[in-house]
Amino acid sequence: MVMTATESGTSASRSFGPAVALSCRECGERYDLGPRFACDFCFGPLEIAYEFGEVSRESIGRGPNNIWRYAGLLPVPDSVAELPNMNPGLTPLVRADRLAAEVGLRSLHIKDDSANPTHSFKDRVVAMAVEAARTFGFTTLSCSSTGNLAGAVGAAAARAGFRSCVFIPAGLEEGKVVMAAVYGGRLVAIDGNYDDVNRFCSELIGDPAGEDWGFVNVNLRPYYAEGSKTLAYEIAEQLGWRLPEQIIVPIASGSQLTKVDKGFRDLIKVGLVEDRPYKIFGAQATGCSPVAQAWENGHEVVQPVKPDTIAKSLAIGNPADGPYVLDVCNRTGGSVAHVSDAEIVDSIKLLARTEGIFAETAGGVTTGVLRKLVAEGTLDPQAETVVLNTGDGLKTLNAVDAGVTATIKPSLDAFKDAGLL
Ligand SMILES: *Cc1c(COP(=O)(O)O)cnc(C)c1O
């Protein structure tokens, strides 16, 4: 659809497709679309508000084989598919019959986001932030990252022609460090945990030095966060335009989980799927489980914790969207659960052994929570269930102790003698 400036009103409305405003998630105050992320009145987080035009299954089906097929439901310009970007999405929804049988479910799919360009779900959110950064004229892309985001920003900045400078906590997995550094931007490790990195970035944004910097998950967060809705859109389309009945989503800041819910509600609102109930379940590692603890204790506020887990991509001790996650899981009839590091490793191996999918630790967390919730009777074994794998095991190799079965001399006798037949 091509509109002239007069037809569409302001130029901002054309730059952001169906998005019309930023609105405060706490008090509902509205703002023009811009690089702001907090309400001036109540300091609540801002999110994108839309006026959707006509979107049909056919128009989506004719779109590109990536997230831009859903451009009519996202804060992006009509020209988005022609701009240089990473084009993530349309990752496989894998039918997981062997894992289903092993844990005791009738119907299970894995949404495998390790298939994205930088091998994690983060390419989806960064793609949105890059379009916003272009519109706002930022020249440097930045982020505070638990690992995967740094790589996604580095790659997207390289392709779209931005400088990049990304911040990670010191001591991340080698796979994530190399993946973040290889694209040629600056990679800075901060001596502290993710929450320290995040605090540092907030300071930098307030300083003139950070003036033309787009921090994808801070001052561009409202745009960034919308990228997670594409997981919901794809799952529904890949199931034949149907919502799953149960879905298990990992929680770091909690943004992804709340936007998967927003995505499902968008689809109902525009009439692309039938309005039927779905339950959203959140998954954390025991060593960083502030949202699961709040859920267990029936609290509405989330008490920050100091992370200590191998699931480093989910290690956010003070999750920004924690209270909203509690709301979503409560409203949909889901829950929030956690699994230990040993269960994470076990579940990575289970997923690999049954379905041939090598997940990073975050996928071990969701698979572990799946197993736990089926065993304790929280999940309905008859209901259509989807589990998210949000990252690639090649980035967290040290988490698993897999190795060769045996080392032998190159002779048939040696092979037979080793008892391997
Ligand atoms: C960032 C990340 C998530 C979820 O992040 P949220 O902050 O909760 O949106 C999930 N899995 C992996 C592998 C990630 O890197």
Side-chain angles (χ1 to χ4, degrees):
M1 183 176 58
V2 178
M3 289 190 294
T4 65
T6 32
E7 278 170 320
S8 68
T10 66
S11 65
S13 67
R14 270 178 305 137
S15 304
F16 294 103
V20 291
L22 290 168
S23 101
C24 176
R25 281 160 90 177
E26 288 299 320
C27 73
E29 182 70 21
R30 287 203 158 207
Y31 300 86
D32 287 344
L33 291 161
R36 48 162 88 226
F37 56 103
C39 180
D40 289 346
F41 296 95
C42 73
F43 305 109
L46 303 181
E47 74 170 342
I48 308 279
Y50 296 91
E51 280 168 21
F52 294 128
E54 175 130 12
V55 186
S56 68
R57 294 176 182 183
E58 293 70 32
S59 65
I60 289 170
R62 281 194 302 272
N65 289 326
N66 55 53
I67 56 171
W68 305 129
R69 66 204 278 109
Y70 310 106
L73 301 168
L74 296 169
V76 291
D78 298 337
S79 59
V80 64
E82 283 120 58
L83 300 169
N85 56 54
M86 299 299 290
N87 299 330
L90 224 57
T91 56
L93 184 72
V94 179
R95 208 187 138 116
D97 288 346
R98 282 168 48 76
L99 179 58
E102 184 118 2
V103 299
L105 282 173
R106 183 184 59 82
S107 163
L108 176 65
H109 288 83
I110 313 290
K111 178 63 170 168
D112 188 10
D113 250 17
S114 65
N116 275 316
T118 69
H119 307 278
S120 88
F121 116 93
K122 288 297 196 303
D123 292 313
R124 297 176 184 275
V125 281
V126 169
M128 296 306 135
V130 164
E131 296 319 317
R134 247 196 269 268
T135 305
F136 299 138
F138 289 130
T139 54
T140 300
L141 281 187
S142 186
C143 66
S144 54
S145 171
T146 56
N148 284 316
L149 185 56
V153 167
R159 185 164 302 173
F162 290 87
R163 281 182 311 170
S164 72
C165 181
V166 300
F167 300 95
I168 54 174
L172 281 189
E173 303 96 334
E174 192 189 0
K176 288 188 182 148
V177 172
V178 172
M179 194 97 199
V182 75
Y183 304 105
R186 290 196 184 137
L187 172 67
V188 180
I190 303 253
D191 191 10
N193 61 30
Y194 173 82
D195 299 285
D196 298 315
V197 178
N198 208 26
R199 246 189 322 272
F200 165 82
C201 287
S202 300
E203 258 182 72
L204 184 49
I205 286 175
D207 191 273
E211 208 169 58
D212 64 344
W213 287 38
F215 285 79
V216 302
N217 58 338
V218 189
N219 57 352
L220 297 172
R221 191 172 182 85
Y223 306 87
Y224 161 97
E226 295 297 292
S228 290
K229 296 196 304 178
T230 59
L231 276 165
Y233 301 155
E234 290 178 17
I235 289 166
E237 184 178 6
Q238 289 168 321
L239 286 175
W241 290 112
R242 214 172 55 238
L243 300 184
E245 294 171 275
Q246 309 180 127
I247 181 165
I248 301 181
V249 184
I251 301 168
S253 72
S255 174
Q256 176 182 122
L257 186 144
T258 64
K259 298 306 175 186
V260 165
D261 172 60
K262 191 179 184 189
F264 287 155
R265 285 185 289 124
D266 285 351
L267 294 178
I268 294 169
K269 199 184 300 173
V270 300
L272 283 169
V273 297
E274 191 188 320
D275 186 357
R276 70 168 194 183
Y278 57 85
K279 293 183 179 179
I280 300 190
F281 297 84
Q284 294 202 296
T286 306
C288 183
S289 51
V291 188
Q293 306 300 342
W295 179 269
E296 278 174 12
N297 297 324
H299 292 165
E300 282 171 23
V301 288
V302 174
Q303 289 290 339
V305 301
K306 230 184 169 64
D308 180 15
T309 170
I310 57 165
K312 296 187 182 188
S313 56
L314 303 182
I316 298 185
N318 187 13
D321 286 80
Y324 301 110
V325 167
L326 296 172
D327 285 349
V328 167
C329 294
N330 203 16
R331 169 166 51 75
T332 63
S335 65
V336 188
H338 59 92
V339 285
S340 70
D341 283 2
E343 289 168 287
I344 293 168
V345 173
D346 223 44
S347 302
I348 290 174
K349 290 181 177 170
L350 172 67
L351 183 56
R353 172 165 66 73
T354 53
E355 299 298 340
I357 293 172
F358 183 22
E360 76 138 86
T361 44
V365 169
T366 49
T367 306
V369 162
L370 168 81
R371 191 155 56 160
K372 181 175 179 176
L373 293 182
V374 176
E376 69 181 36
T378 306
L379 283 174
D380 175 357
Q382 294 304 318
E384 185 154 58
T385 306
V386 172
V387 171
L388 299 190
N389 172 41
T390 47
D392 194 323
L394 287 174
K395 288 203 227 178
T396 60
L397 281 178
N398 288 340
V400 287
D401 57 347
V404 297
T405 309
T407 302
I408 59 166
K409 292 274 185 302
S411 82
L412 201 49
D413 280 347
F415 182 58
K416 287 178 179 166
D417 287 349
L420 296 170
L421 277 177

